[in-house]
Amino acid sequence: MSTSESKQVKDAAWHDLSKSPEARVAALMAEMTLEEKVGQLGSIWSEFNLPKDDGGTEDSPVDNVPIFAEVAQPQEWSVVTKNGLGQLTRVFGTLPTTVKDGIKKVVNAQTRLTSETRLGIPAVVHEECLTGFTTMGATSFPTPLGLAATFDPAIIEKVTRVIGRDMKSVGVHQGLSPVLDVVRDYRWGRVEETFGEDPYLAGICATAYVKGLESQGIVSTLKHFFGHSASKAARNHGPVSMGWRELYDFMLPPFEMAVTEGKARSVMNSYTDVDGLPAGADPKIFTEILRNQMKFTGTVVSDYWAISFLEIMHNVAGTAGEAGALALIAGIDTELPATRCYGDGLIELIRSGKLSEEYVDRALVRVLNQKLELGLLDPDWTPTKHITADLETVDLDTPANRQVALDAAREGVILLSNKDNFLPLVQQYEKIVIVGPCGDDGAAFLGCYSFANHVMAMTPGSGLGIEVPSIYESIAKKFTGSQVTAISGVPVKEVDPSGIEKARAAVDGADLAIVVVGDRAGLFGRGTSGEGNDVSDMALPGSQAELLSRCLDSKTPVIVVSVSGRPYALENVQGRAAAIIQAFMPGEEGGTAIAEVISGAINPSGRLPVEIPSTPTGQPSTYLHPKYGQPGLGISPVDSIPLFTFGHGLSYTQFEYSSLALSSQSISTNGEFVASATVKNVGKVAGSEVVQLYFSDPVAEVARPVIQLLGFARVDLLPGASKKLDFYVHTDRLAYHGREVKRIIDAGVIQVHLGASSTDIKDSKNIQITGPTREVGPQRKLLTDVTVS
């Protein structure tokens, strides 16, 4: 860089802090060439498929997946960054590298960008952070499904404050989380990444997640916008055949809540197409809905290679440049993880007059505004300015972090059944055997986007990178007076029943058996849960169902623990097991939390964010079905009633509900009412109850769910104590998309239900909605406020 160029950058108008943000961004754009503008919309993944000394390549999460291999080509730094750069992709999260080395790589890359490019603009650094900062040695928290099981936004926000703080301390600016896809079919591999099957629960959890990240200065990225989880037959990268009413009423609300209430600053597109039109090329999704209706002002980033998929998968573009043009027109501002479509081909289309430069400028304003918010355009910015971690002492899995992980895991463990109050264990058992492939495997607690299962698993023998006590280790530590042994019996995934009889013999020889079944997260078929691990039915993987059944035939009492990323059918388990516990990949302290529940050290308080099927083939849908789709009507031979329903979860104490009271028997279509009730702990130990409010709309313009969550509150109660709850319900919360695909609230009777789950209803009341049908706008009341006194 010449002396004059250096002075130009140093004294640049966009560095003038006395100017408004708009003026600073305008001044910078005025200095930029078309090539420099487009450069800010791209990214580089420097270490993806990094060449080895022997000429091979590092094993990566997307190796052997042909659709990725076609576009995931190595990039040359000097070529990609010559005109500037928008984002640095996963410097910490691509290879097993120390945090210290990751910091050095970030500083080096930013130094090169600011010294080797004409305008010297640094890049946004992004990482994955779904279950914790996805880097080696960082704390691994429960999966989102496990967090949703807490029904506690406070603990979720506490978790993500830790994640955001740690990412910010090492120079990361943006986290590609959370996943707001609402579960529609449990066979989908990414169920573990979601906040469950109810849009309101998902929205509350997502909002808390976003608030935690954003409070630490991390840009939270909502994904995948939208409809991604409703693919045909629950297949990864499958088209969506969902109508717009269903999309609006069930898939959109979590995004609306996270934008409006959580103030998320970024959104990621869905790979899918809806009725043939790819989301990444649809202006209706990103301009009309996201920008115009939801008033979103942040950045839209592409899912990895999603823009390229417009060319090579969806076949709606003939070249990479044409794919880039479609995405840019639709409203995608930044191409991730690497520049391919927002490059020379796009520039040629603009130069030839086939694409207006206005679309580049529109995206660029958003990208530069966010860089300005992050301080990257300030005159005193340096590559180390915001890095607060000490290179010599940095620790991303501190005791304090682990305590937060334990607190979250404790609240998410769900006691599904407890025959004759078998738990907590009050008597001493001389011999306890832990059976099952997940019994002595800490990795079973970690999600697909944990660094251990996302990256470390690709390097055999490298371990998990963090300490993760298994259930066997945790039970042995908790029950020191017992002889505790472990036997796997069968593998997690492979069909291999050869070890079942040996495991059964171990159960027969013990005084108590804890059979631990479930998943091992991985990518694209490497595991049984996670991205690219869809299944054809809800049977336990491999030979686990056979193992479980044989163990339950024993006269030895059996506690069944399911540690999984999705709900599995537990047919023939209920009634045979002494107790059943569900934990949805509860993170590095999951073993400790489960042992504490079994021992009674903590009182279980988790609730189901998804239903548990009774049979492998009969329950692919969720509780949000219309009466026409209701199971148990005897119309289909594969039909089955869920074994455990949405919101279910038991405690070691008992709760008594008072009668439900409504503040009014009739309100207008633009009114509000208060639903009140009192809950009392009538047992002998302290406990937490999740009080749930539901509603039904018996007569509407279109078929509506039989019952739907309206609000909830988690209440902590000492023995004998009671608390009053008031739910403030605006009619906006009852609105739906009617015949004309407009969101409306119309006159009629609404049934309000108070319960401990979607089927454990304690009381119901009717309220009459009166007046003309009202169209409800996008800036509506999204929350049911609750006060507890």
Side-chain angles (χ1 to χ4, degrees):
M1 183 180 295
S2 69
T3 303
S4 61
E5 287 175 329
S6 297
K7 188 176 188 297
Q8 178 191 21
V9 171
K10 182 178 179 182
D11 299 331
W14 62 87
H15 284 161
D16 187 348
L17 299 181
S18 68
K19 295 180 180 292
S20 69
E22 294 80 9
R24 291 177 63 193
V25 168
L28 175 53
M29 289 178 64
E31 290 289 335
M32 301 176 83
T33 65
L34 174 59
E35 288 76 8
E36 287 170 333
K37 290 179 177 180
V38 173
Q40 288 297 312
L41 310 185
S43 57
I44 189 169
W45 197 351
S46 294
E47 292 184 322
F48 182 78
N49 277 349
L50 188 70
K52 286 182 179 178
D53 293 337
D54 62 3
T57 60
E58 293 283 355
D59 196 9
S60 77
V62 295
D63 282 347
N64 304 317
V65 182
I67 62 169
F68 290 120
E70 185 171 342
V71 293
Q73 301 300 318
Q75 295 178 290
E76 186 177 337
W77 173 272
S78 61
V79 174
V80 177
T81 65
K82 62 184 178 182
N83 295 310
L85 187 71
Q87 297 219 8
L88 292 169
T89 295
R90 295 182 65 178
V91 177
F92 292 90
T94 301
L95 300 174
T97 187
T98 66
V99 178
K100 179 178 179 179
D101 286 342
I103 293 173
K104 290 179 178 178
K105 290 175 183 177
V106 166
V107 172
N108 177 62
Q110 298 282 38
T111 300
R112 292 187 67 181
L113 282 175
T114 53
S115 64
E116 296 174 3
T117 60
R118 187 177 75 89
L119 298 176
I121 304 170
V124 171
V125 180
H126 79 257
E127 294 287 344
E128 298 283 1
C129 61
L130 191 65
T131 61
F133 181 8
T134 306
T135 191
M136 189 167 71
T139 305
S140 189
F141 296 94
T143 57
L145 194 63
L147 292 175
T150 70
F151 276 68
D152 185 358
I155 192 63
I156 296 173
E157 185 173 344
K158 190 175 181 180
V159 164
T160 54
R161 281 179 178 272
V162 171
I163 296 171
R165 180 204 64 208
D166 287 352
M167 293 172 72
K168 180 73 176 294
S169 74
V170 298
V172 176
H173 306 104
Q174 182 167 359
L176 302 188
S177 293
V179 171
L180 274 63
D181 302 312
V182 178
V183 175
R184 302 299 282 175
D185 191 325
Y186 309 137
R187 297 173 297 178
W188 193 50
R190 305 187 75 167
V191 169
E192 64 167 76
E193 299 180 40
T194 75
F195 291 114
E197 65 185 64
D198 183 87
Y200 186 70
L201 174 64
I204 292 291
C205 294
T207 298
Y209 192 108
V210 168
K211 284 182 176 180
L213 283 186
E214 293 281 358
S215 72
Q216 303 303 303
I218 295 294
V219 176
S220 181
T221 308
L222 313 180
K223 56 189 190 183
H224 308 83
F225 198 74
F226 68 119
H228 189 53
S229 56
S231 57
K232 289 183 178 179
R235 295 299 186 263
N236 193 36
H237 289 243
V240 169
S241 297
M242 179 181 278
W244 279 101
R245 290 186 192 89
E246 195 171 0
L247 281 165
Y248 281 135
D249 285 345
F250 300 110
M251 310 304 281
L252 187 61
F255 291 94
E256 294 178 290
M257 293 169 71
V259 167
T260 303
E261 305 293 335
K263 310 301 181 186
R265 288 184 285 170
S266 188
V267 167
M268 176 182 283
N269 76 289
S270 167
Y271 284 127
T272 193
D273 71 60
V274 178
D275 196 23
L277 185 59
D282 191 354
K284 177 177 181 178
I285 290 178
F286 294 104
T287 300
E288 180 182 334
I289 296 175
L290 182 64
R291 299 286 182 186
N292 298 341
Q293 294 180 18
M294 292 171 55
K295 307 303 181 186
F296 177 72
T297 59
T299 58
V300 175
V301 300
S302 77
D303 203 342
Y304 283 16
W305 299 294
I307 301 178
S308 290
F309 287 174
L310 298 177
E311 174 198 359
I312 68 169
M313 294 297 296
H314 297 295
N315 300 129
V316 295
T319 66
E322 291 174 2
L326 286 174
L328 201 59
I329 292 169
I332 296 180
D333 304 313
T334 300
E335 181 180 17
L336 300 182
T339 299
R340 181 177 180 270
C341 302
Y342 283 6
D344 293 341
L346 186 70
I347 292 170
E348 289 173 10
L349 291 176
I350 296 170
R351 296 282 190 213
S352 66
K354 295 179 180 179
L355 177 69
S356 172
E357 190 173 341
E358 292 178 357
Y359 289 110
V360 172
D361 289 344
R362 182 181 70 173
L364 182 61
V365 166
R366 298 163 183 163
V367 168
L368 294 180
N369 272 332
Q370 203 149 86
K371 287 195 172 186
L372 186 144
E373 287 177 1
L374 294 168
L376 298 177
L377 303 184
D378 289 351
D380 62 344
W381 185 89
T382 67
T384 59
K385 180 181 178 182
H386 297 126
I387 296 176
T388 58
D390 188 303
L391 280 178
E392 303 306 321
T393 61
V394 60
D395 181 3
L396 301 182
D397 191 31
T398 63
N401 280 19
R402 295 189 71 94
Q403 183 61 53
V404 174
L406 177 58
D407 292 343
R410 284 169 168 165
E411 290 193 21
V413 176
I414 308 162
L415 181 61
L416 296 179
S417 73
N418 193 17
K419 188 177 180 180
D420 299 326
N421 293 320
F422 186 80
L423 292 180
L425 296 182
V426 293
Q427 71 178 80
Q428 181 74 35
Y429 289 90
E430 183 180 346
K431 294 180 180 179
I432 300 176
V433 62
I434 312 297
V435 179
C438 301
D440 193 20
D441 181 12
F445 301 140
L446 310 181
C448 177
Y449 272 80
S450 67
F451 193 79
N453 286 331
H454 205 74
V455 177
M456 300 290 279
M458 313 302 171
T459 310
S462 61
L464 300 180
I466 51 176
E467 182 184 350
V468 187
S470 68
I471 289 182
Y472 162 66
E473 293 170 320
S474 300
I475 291 292
K477 184 177 180 180
K478 179 63 65 175
F479 295 90
T480 54
S482 302
Q483 177 187 336
V484 183
T485 57
I487 180 170
S488 63
V490 298
V492 171
K493 182 179 180 180
E494 293 74 23
V495 177
D496 178 8
S498 60
I500 290 179
E501 291 310 312
K502 185 177 180 180
R504 167 59 193 273
V507 172
D508 289 339
D511 300 307
L512 173 68
I514 302 174
V515 180
V516 188
V517 295
D519 281 316
R520 177 67 183 265
L523 280 171
F524 307 121
R526 288 188 173 95
T528 60
S529 176
E531 187 173 359
N533 288 287
D534 315 312
V535 294
S536 59
D537 60 37
M538 303 315 302
L540 284 164
S543 298
Q544 293 186 69
E546 184 180 352
L547 170 71
L548 180 55
S549 183
R550 286 290 291 134
C551 291
L552 288 169
D553 286 338
S554 175
K555 294 181 180 179
T556 301
V558 174
I559 300 169
V560 176
V561 179
S562 176
V563 181
S564 62
R566 62 162 62 85
Y568 284 108
L570 297 176
E571 58 181 342
N572 302 321
V573 177
Q574 172 75 324
R576 298 168 70 195
I580 307 174
I581 292 171
Q582 174 68 56
F584 292 112
M585 293 183 173
E588 64 182 34
E589 287 291 349
T592 304
I594 292 168
E596 289 179 338
V597 166
I598 291 173
S599 71
I602 64 167
N603 191 347
S605 58
R607 299 294 184 267
L608 283 174
V610 288
E611 297 193 304
I612 303 292
S614 57
T615 61
T617 59
Q619 187 67 19
S621 63
T622 73
Y623 94 104
L624 291 172
H625 54 70
K627 188 174 182 180
Y628 186 72
Q630 186 167 336
L633 299 180
I635 294 174
S636 171
V638 294
D639 194 16
S640 68
I641 297 173
L643 189 61
F644 300 105
T645 54
F646 178 85
H648 171 75
L650 301 180
S651 172
Y652 293 150
T653 191
Q654 297 81 44
F655 300 97
E656 182 178 87
Y657 286 65
S658 71
S659 297
L660 174 65
L662 303 184
S663 60
S664 176
Q665 293 182 339
S666 176
I667 59 171
S668 72
T669 52
N670 191 25
E672 184 179 58
F673 67 92
V674 182
S676 302
T678 299
V679 179
K680 182 177 182 179
N681 182 349
V682 295
K684 297 180 179 180
V685 296
S688 298
E689 177 72 332
V690 177
V691 181
Q692 300 160 46
L693 194 71
Y694 293 87
F695 78 100
S696 303
D697 190 350
V699 180
E701 286 189 3
V702 298
R704 302 199 68 188
V706 173
I707 193 168
Q708 186 169 351
L709 185 66
L710 191 56
F712 64 89
R714 186 183 176 97
V715 183
D716 301 326
L717 292 167
L718 295 172
S722 62
K723 289 184 179 179
K724 181 175 180 286
L725 294 93
D726 294 309
F727 295 85
Y728 296 83
V729 183
H730 194 279
T731 50
D732 285 358
R733 293 282 296 113
L734 309 173
Y736 66 99
H737 282 76
R739 288 178 178 271
E740 304 301 319
V741 199
K742 294 180 179 179
R743 186 185 292 109
I744 61 169
I745 177 68
D746 50 1
V749 173
I750 293 291
Q751 297 171 344
V752 181
H753 313 284
L754 178 72
S757 78
S758 59
T759 53
D760 184 7
I761 300 301
K762 307 298 184 181
D763 197 7
S764 299
K765 299 289 183 184
N766 290 347
I767 187 167
Q768 181 73 44
I769 309 297
T770 64
T773 297
R774 176 172 67 92
E775 185 173 347
V776 180
Q779 307 308 306
R780 67 195 188 282
K781 179 74 173 177
L782 293 166
L783 303 180
T784 299
D785 296 321
V786 188
T787 60
V788 181
S789 59

